[in-house]
């Protein structure tokens, strides 16, 4: 990874994970890879997702519990002419935040723990409330029939790509072009670009 892009601040990393509605879970059994989007929550340094007890991913996890998990938060597309006057396509890129995780998947069977985690799922995805607590016996059957899986994180990397590697001229060209295009995403991207430049130069 380009060291200009690497993020080690846990607060920034957790912010990406906590905002994301879903991530991509990657599994592999006998050289057969499989990647699937899953809703998830982060609790401390672990990732939790859920699903049917007997679906494809659960069957694969029984054979190989080692997984990869990734989340991407997209920002502005950078057109090739935003930072170059040579007419080449090569400078075209996308700015983004991403988190990549390697770990071991462990199935959680304890009813109390499952209830606590599903409460956190609901707080994340339905923060307005309006539902019974998972402590209620009405959920007993559903909790028993639903698999809850924890990814115990062994390795985590985070990347923010916002032009930190560019020289001042190209960086300023992109800022000007984004402000001229002026979408909400463009303006958010410029704010993050400037913040990352501040980190780069210690200001």
């Amino acid at each position: 990874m380009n060291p200009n892009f690497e993020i080690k601040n846990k607060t920034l990393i957790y912010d990406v994970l906590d905002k994301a509605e879903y991530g991509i879970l990657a599994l592999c059994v006998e050289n057969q890879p499989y990647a699937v989007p899953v809703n998830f929550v982060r609790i401390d340094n672990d990732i939790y997702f859920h699903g049917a007890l007997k679906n494809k991913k659960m069957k694969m996890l029984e054979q190989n519990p080692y997984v990869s998990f990734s989340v991407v938060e997209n920002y502005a597309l950078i057109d090739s002419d935003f930072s170059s006057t040579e007419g080449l396509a090569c400078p075209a890129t996308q700015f983004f935040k991403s988190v990549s995780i390697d770990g071991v998947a462990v199935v959680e069977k304890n009813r109390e723990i499952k209830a606590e985690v599903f409460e956190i799922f609901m707080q994340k995805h339905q923060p307005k409330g309006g539902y019974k607590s998972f402590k209620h016996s009405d959920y007993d059957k559903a909790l028993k029939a639903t698999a809850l899986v924890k990814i115990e994180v062994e390795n985590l990397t985070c990347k923010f790509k916002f032009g930190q590697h560019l020289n001042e001229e190209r960086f300023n060209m992109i800022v000007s072009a984004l402000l001229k295009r002026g979408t909400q995403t463009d303006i958010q991207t410029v704010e993050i670009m400037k913040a990352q430049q501040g980190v780069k130069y210690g200001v």
Side-chain angles (χ1 to χ4, degrees):
M1 180 188 298
N2 187 322
N4 288 311
F5 301 149
E6 187 174 8
I7 300 296
K8 295 184 178 181
N9 184 311
K10 284 291 182 70
T11 299
L12 297 177
I13 294 170
Y14 289 164
D15 182 66
V16 176
L17 291 171
D18 294 343
K19 286 180 179 177
E21 294 184 2
Y22 70 92
I24 302 300
L25 176 70
L27 315 170
C28 190
V29 173
E30 296 179 353
N31 296 320
Q32 293 296 315
Y34 176 60
V36 59
V38 294
N39 289 119
F40 74 97
V41 293
R42 175 194 65 84
I43 301 177
D44 297 326
N45 199 46
D46 298 318
I47 301 296
Y48 289 82
F49 65 90
H50 62 88
L53 288 172
K54 296 297 182 181
N55 60 18
K56 181 175 180 178
K57 63 177 176 283
M58 296 306 298
K59 291 177 181 178
M60 292 184 74
L61 287 173
E62 289 177 0
Q63 299 178 66
N64 181 6
Y66 291 94
V67 303
S68 287
F69 184 77
S70 60
V71 169
V72 177
E73 186 177 321
N74 284 328
Y75 284 85
L77 283 165
I78 308 302
D79 293 354
S80 60
D81 58 354
F82 279 16
S83 67
S84 174
T85 58
E86 297 177 359
L88 298 175
C90 305
T93 189
Q94 171 116 36
F95 286 172
F96 63 88
K97 300 176 181 179
S98 68
V99 178
S100 299
I101 290 169
D102 296 319
V104 179
V106 178
V107 178
E108 181 57 67
K109 297 181 179 180
N110 181 278
R111 198 264 186 225
E112 286 71 29
I113 294 176
K114 291 174 76 171
E116 291 174 4
V117 174
F118 280 113
E119 288 281 359
I120 296 171
F121 263 103
M122 291 302 294
Q123 291 166 11
K124 177 179 180 180
H125 296 291
Q126 189 175 311
K128 68 178 183 180
Y131 54 87
K132 293 180 181 179
S133 167
F134 280 89
K135 294 179 180 179
H136 201 286
S137 60
D138 285 355
Y139 293 108
D140 287 350
K141 185 176 180 180
L143 287 172
K144 188 174 182 180
T146 304
L148 177 67
V149 181
K150 176 173 70 172
I151 301 175
E152 296 181 344
V153 176
E154 294 188 342
N155 184 56
L156 182 151
T157 57
C158 182
K159 179 178 180 180
F160 285 13
K161 183 179 180 183
F162 290 94
Q164 304 97 307
H165 62 305
L166 300 174
N167 63 37
E168 185 177 1
E169 180 183 4
R170 292 187 65 198
F171 183 92
N172 289 335
M173 284 177 67
I174 291 175
V175 168
S176 296
L178 289 174
L179 291 175
K180 182 177 180 180
R181 189 167 64 185
T183 69
Q184 183 176 356
T185 299
D186 292 335
I187 293 169
Q188 290 175 338
T189 300
V190 169
E191 291 173 354
I192 298 171
M193 288 175 68
K194 292 181 176 179
Q196 289 303 304
Q197 281 296 89
V199 171
K200 178 179 178 181
Y201 293 112
V203 297

